Amino acid sequence: MRLVFAGTPEPALPSLRAFIESSRHEVVAVVTRPDAPAGRGRHLERSPVGALADEHGIEVLTPAKASDPDFQARLRELAPDACPVVAYGALLPQSALDIPVHGWVNLHFSLLPAWRGAAPVQAAVRNGDDIVGASTFRIVKPLDAGPVFGTVTEEARPRDTAGELLARFAERGAGLLVATIDGIEDGTLRAVEQPAEGITYAPKISVEDARLDFTAPALAVDRLARAVTPDPGAWAEFRGERLKLGPVTPVTPGSDRAPQEKLAPGELLVQRKQVLVGTATTPVALGDVQAPGKKRMAATDWARGVRVEAGERIS
Amino acid sequence: MNGNSSSRPSRPSRPRKPAPPRRRVGPERPPVEDPARLAALDTLRAVRQRDAYANLVLPKLLRERRITGRDAALATELAYGSARAQGLLDAVIGACSDRALSDVDGLLLDALRLGAYQLLRTRIPAHAAVASTVDLVRGGQGSGAAGFVNAVLRRITQQDEAAWIDELAPDPDTDPIGHVALANAHPRWIAQAFAEALGSRDEPLREALAADDSRPEVHLAARPGEVSAEELAAMTGGEVAPYSPYGVHLESGSGDPGDLDPLREHLAVVQDEGSQLCAVALSKVPVEGTDERWLDMCAGPGGKAVMLGALAAMNGGTLDAIELAPHRAELVRKATKGLPITVHIGDARETDLPEGGFDRVLVDAPCTGLGALRRRPEARWRRQPSDVAPLTRLQRELLTKALKLVRPGGVVAYVVCSPHLSETVGIVADVARRTGAERLDTKEFFPGVPDLTDPHNVQLWPHLHGTDAMFCALLRRPPEE
């Protein structure tokens, strides 16, 4: 089929690669978010999807809005049979949805109707979902509400961060998305309406949301830290400054690593091989730590450097 | 050629002693690299000199100067905070200056307010607040002015906000309203108006003024029929609002909401949750007979017109929208694109639209705006008690006309973003008595909203509902005998 692929960040790349390598389909153009300022120099940078398309000499469309008439005119000229979408990052108006013969087919990183919205993987980690997955569905106007073609699932691993999970499903989802487009072309695939029950939403996580709250139970602190790793990254305040934190590890009560004394929420305890922080339940051990203007380092090195005093807290 | 030229300076046998640093002459100094504070200062100046609105000036400055991220957040906090707290800041500056405030040059006063705000109401360290303000003044006005600003700000640092309020505010035992007004940076007359509307000069008044003095969240309204509140929350990272079925709250300081996709795609608008509730309430009142033609009598800039137009469209109806100012009528046209709306330019009191021609009419009347001071930083110091009387005359005429435009049996919503009794209860009671309109149980159409005391009139409050202090009363034109 003639495809126009829409996507923007890294997790869209395995799918785009799979279509470029596919012998059945031809990617005639990609649609991606406009070049954005990046890095210290704030120079304009192509999105990962745009860059990969450039490498393969594929036309790149970067409309500021998908409702832009010039963009839609070009899309009509390209006459795609279908438009696969992975994390494009902008809304599609009905006038754009109507252009491809078989519509727009989205790879979404959740088991729909769970976690509609921008941050499904983060929401799954934060909520401790047992089964995680990805779905392909036909895009309709309401957000992530279209009928589902197929899913891939697996059991969540207890130490997964959102970044790791997303990387895994970006690969597995690419296979699903290609299979979905194949099935649509063959006429062997029928989409199934999403159930009305079990709809949940997963809004984008802001930097403010990524602040760890040590008055919560260790389980919740651990899940939030993994959900916001690597992006936007967990943090807390120490001596009035923002301290970035890698994932944390809950300490099993009664294990060798468990401290003798009870720690108050946020209270730091520096030991030879670990730095513990109190929560509402059992303490958590800090992983990597990054102070403003410093490199990432192991929490024990950081604690030695700043000379944490007895009873000091992070919050 | 003789290479041993005598013009060549001989090398000194000992290194020279370093010269003492040269004393600076005049105000010349390299430009201050503090774009955030400079933008805040320029905003305060525009507000003072041109009666500009801070919340229109600052975003434009930030865009033009490409100030983003933390600098933009700082500029916003300082500009809006200083504008909001102006009366309190002036009282403290006055106490720390040997000149009368009226003798202080306007530009210096702006800078002093900016500095005082940082000292009293932010966590910026005192030395940084003083030094950065002095630098701004030295860059613009020279070292004499900088010395004066430095001296005043240093005196301010000697106490914190609470101690200054203790020293400067009226005695709470003899003048409780005056005290709580200064402590929460409100003019006394506005605190008095709030006290009358709340029926209290104690804790509820303090809470209302404190909530009014805080930075509000941004409220969005999902366009009915296009997107649900849950979808909008998922798209924007906001929270579904507690009362409005279409509302979403965003944390303040999360950037320019106009940049959000759903707003650019006209799926949502920025609108206080209280405004949404009033428009929705009007749409909910049962009417017998036809329910096709709705009217928004004071439509600019178009927030409620979008809500009503979308609700009317879902009902198979249409909306007429009247707006006096042509540029605001244009805003209404833009905001309501794609909806079955006809925009009319003119004075709603003299419109030639057919009397008795409408099933539902909204009068979102021009008012003092005392209920929306949170969102208009400088407004509380600009409004005067004398603004109230001419507005009440206009409000009375608009509501009277609305009750003529609505058909017998149809319903009118009277809405103002003010809790001032002369603009609210006073108008409704008077017009209802003179026209014979029936006052409906308005509270019933605000389901789930707590702390509503008067059944006929709904008064929302920032400290109770997280909304602007909106007032709404629903009236029905009596059916013809």
Side-chain angles (χ1 to χ4, degrees):
Chain A
M1 290 211 282
R2 285 173 64 80
L3 303 179
V4 171
F5 181 93
T8 299
E10 294 274 342
L13 294 182
S15 293
L16 177 56
R17 270 197 208 99
F19 284 115
I20 292 173
E21 288 160 11
S22 149
S23 54
R24 285 181 66 165
H25 307 294
E26 185 195 357
V27 180
V28 295
V30 305
V31 187
T32 191
R33 299 289 294 149
D35 299 354
R40 292 183 82 90
R42 311 301 292 158
H43 50 272
L44 289 181
E45 197 167 86
R46 200 69 141 167
S47 76
V49 161
L52 181 61
D54 287 341
E55 276 173 37
H56 288 82
I58 297 169
E59 179 178 348
V60 177
L61 307 174
T62 56
K65 291 164 68 170
S67 53
D68 175 13
D70 290 344
F71 160 68
Q72 293 194 9
R74 179 65 192 135
L75 198 56
R76 267 189 291 273
E77 284 168 12
L78 289 164
D81 297 306
C83 295
V85 186
V86 186
Y88 169 48
L91 298 171
L92 297 162
Q94 192 62 45
S95 51
L97 293 181
D98 292 338
I99 294 173
V101 182
H102 295 287
W104 297 66
V105 180
N106 191 200
L107 171 64
H108 185 76
F109 297 107
S110 85
L111 296 172
L112 290 169
W115 308 133
R116 293 177 180 177
V121 172
Q122 290 86 337
V125 173
R126 186 174 186 171
N127 287 274
D129 287 2
D130 297 328
I131 305 288
V132 288
S135 317
T136 50
F137 69 97
R138 187 191 310 285
I139 297 184
V140 294
K141 216 167 151 202
L143 181 73
D144 298 336
V148 172
F149 290 106
T151 57
V152 287
T153 60
E154 63 178 48
E155 266 185 65
R157 302 176 193 173
R159 304 301 315 148
D160 268 340
T161 63
E164 288 156 0
L165 203 57
L166 192 58
R168 226 155 56 230
F169 279 106
E171 291 291 342
R172 295 194 59 199
L176 173 68
L177 187 58
V178 173
T180 302
I181 297 292
D182 290 352
I184 291 173
E185 183 175 31
D186 300 341
T188 55
L189 202 57
R190 279 230 347 260
V192 178
E193 290 296 335
Q194 294 183 26
E197 301 280 301
I199 299 171
T200 48
Y201 287 95
K204 198 171 167 213
I205 291 181
S206 68
V207 172
E208 203 47 49
D209 297 329
R211 180 182 192 149
L212 297 187
D213 171 12
F214 292 102
T215 63
L219 181 83
V221 176
D222 166 43
R223 282 179 183 169
L224 177 59
R226 286 187 290 113
V228 299
T229 301
D231 200 33
W235 61 279
E237 264 187 25
F238 176 72
R239 295 182 188 162
E241 285 199 321
R242 191 175 279 210
L243 200 60
K244 287 193 189 172
L245 302 171
V248 301
T249 319
V251 175
T252 320
S255 70
D256 318 341
R257 304 181 64 188
Q260 303 293 320
E261 62 266 55
K262 166 90 181 133
L263 295 179
E267 188 183 344
L268 288 161
L269 175 65
V270 182
Q271 297 178 326
R272 207 162 61 80
K273 289 190 173 169
Q274 63 181 4
V275 179
L276 299 178
V277 186
T279 73
T281 57
T282 55
V284 293
L286 294 184
D288 281 350
V289 167
Q290 187 178 13
K294 300 272 171 57
K295 286 192 178 143
R296 284 179 77 86
M297 59 181 87
T300 43
D301 295 340
W302 165 77
R304 265 194 294 280
V306 298
R307 303 201 180 157
V308 174
E309 285 164 29
E312 260 196 293
R313 294 186 186 202
I314 58 175
S315 58
Chain B
M1 284 282 284
N2 185 354
N4 197 5
S5 163
S6 60
S7 63
R8 197 168 152 192
S10 62
R11 181 177 290 202
S13 54
R14 276 189 310 175
R16 240 183 235 153
K17 262 169 62 180
R22 286 225 322 253
R23 197 181 157 78
R24 258 177 228 290
V25 284
E28 292 300 317
R29 208 167 192 249
V32 187
E33 283 289 330
D34 195 343
R37 286 187 175 82
L38 197 56
L41 185 66
D42 289 346
T43 304
L44 293 184
R45 184 172 56 191
V47 167
R48 180 177 49 78
Q49 288 182 335
R50 305 192 264 119
D51 267 359
Y53 295 101
N55 56 355
L56 296 184
V57 172
L58 181 69
K60 189 157 167 277
L61 278 182
L62 296 180
R63 265 197 307 276
E64 281 169 5
R65 301 181 184 177
R66 294 167 192 258
I67 300 172
T68 56
R70 285 187 160 200
D71 278 343
L74 177 64
T76 308
E77 168 69 27
L78 297 186
Y80 292 0
S82 307
R84 208 176 272 135
Q86 188 183 304
L88 170 65
L89 301 176
D90 285 0
V92 176
I93 293 166
C96 293
S97 164
D98 39 21
R99 302 182 206 166
L101 278 196
S102 52
D103 294 341
V104 176
D105 173 71
L107 283 174
L108 287 191
L109 188 55
D110 294 335
L112 284 169
R113 287 168 178 164
L114 195 63
Y117 179 74
Q118 293 174 67
L119 292 172
L120 299 176
R121 289 195 155 189
T122 71
R123 287 163 59 184
I124 296 169
H127 63 86
V130 174
S132 60
T133 311
V134 170
D135 277 350
L136 279 180
V137 171
R138 190 180 284 125
Q141 318 254 314
S143 53
F148 169 67
V149 167
N150 186 44
V152 173
L153 292 182
R154 289 204 178 279
R155 262 170 244 152
I156 294 176
T157 59
Q158 287 165 4
Q159 301 189 69
D160 65 4
E161 184 188 356
W164 279 118
I165 288 167
D166 277 348
E167 186 177 324
L168 299 173
D171 182 346
D173 294 329
T174 55
D175 182 4
I177 292 179
H179 182 87
V180 77
L182 188 78
N184 292 285
H186 279 70
R188 195 180 185 293
W189 76 276
I190 292 180
Q192 178 73 41
F194 274 40
E196 283 163 12
L198 284 161
S200 159
R201 47 178 54 194
D202 303 320
E203 193 54 19
L205 174 62
R206 199 197 59 74
E207 284 174 12
L209 293 176
D212 206 46
D213 202 29
S214 62
R215 268 195 311 178
E217 291 181 313
V218 174
H219 293 185
L220 304 180
R223 194 152 148 174
E226 289 285 339
V227 58
S228 70
E230 288 78 12
E231 288 176 347
L232 182 61
M235 289 188 263
T236 56
E239 298 268 341
V240 172
Y243 312 120
S244 164
Y246 307 103
V248 166
H249 291 191
L250 297 182
E251 258 176 52
S252 65
S254 40
D256 182 355
D259 289 341
L260 294 169
D261 260 357
L263 275 87
R264 294 198 305 186
E265 302 285 346
H266 295 291
L267 299 179
V269 292
V270 174
Q271 185 178 46
D272 181 75
E273 191 183 359
S275 294
Q276 301 173 37
L277 288 171
C278 296
V280 171
L282 171 63
S283 77
K284 294 270 188 238
V285 183
V287 293
E288 286 192 7
T290 62
D291 189 14
E292 287 150 13
R293 285 198 76 180
W294 297 7
L295 173 67
D296 182 350
M297 281 176 65
C298 312
K304 292 188 192 72
V306 169
M307 179 68 72
L308 279 182
L311 292 170
M314 288 165 74
N315 233 17
T318 59
L319 180 75
D320 286 85
I322 309 175
E323 169 53 44
L324 181 60
H327 71 280
R328 281 159 66 92
E330 193 49 42
L331 292 178
V332 179
R333 251 187 219 112
K334 277 194 186 142
T336 58
K337 219 173 96 185
L339 292 170
I341 294 183
T342 314
V343 180
H344 310 265
I345 300 175
D347 186 331
R349 291 170 298 177
E350 292 159 9
T351 179
D352 47 15
L353 286 167
E355 295 201 340
F358 295 92
D359 302 303
R360 296 173 197 268
V361 178
L362 171 68
V363 189
D364 181 12
C367 66
T368 53
L370 299 193
L373 297 176
R374 305 182 301 165
R375 302 195 190 278
R376 294 169 202 163
E378 71 291 332
R380 69 182 68 164
W381 308 108
R382 189 174 287 164
R383 279 284 172 207
Q384 298 297 326
S386 56
D387 294 338
V388 179
L391 285 166
T392 58
R393 194 176 319 126
L394 174 61
Q395 289 156 355
R396 196 171 281 117
E397 289 168 8
L398 283 166
L399 181 54
T400 306
K401 178 72 177 179
L403 285 158
K404 289 185 182 143
L405 288 165
V406 78
R407 69 169 169 82
V411 53
V412 172
Y414 173 77
V415 177
V416 280
C417 57
S418 167
H420 197 297
L421 292 178
S422 330
E423 298 185 273
T424 59
V425 182
I427 300 287
V428 176
D430 179 47
V431 174
R433 185 169 44 75
R434 283 190 295 104
T435 59
E438 179 197 357
R439 299 171 65 187
L440 299 177
D441 182 351
T442 303
K443 198 167 99 167
E444 187 190 327
F445 300 99
F446 287 72
V449 179
D451 298 309
L452 303 178
T453 42
D454 175 353
H456 293 308
N457 304 303
V458 162
Q459 178 64 61
L460 302 172
W461 289 100
H463 67 296
L464 295 175
H465 308 105
T467 63
D468 289 347
M470 302 288 300
F471 172 89
C472 178
L474 296 167
L475 300 128
R476 193 188 299 278
R477 181 168 169 186
E480 274 166 346
E481 292 297 312

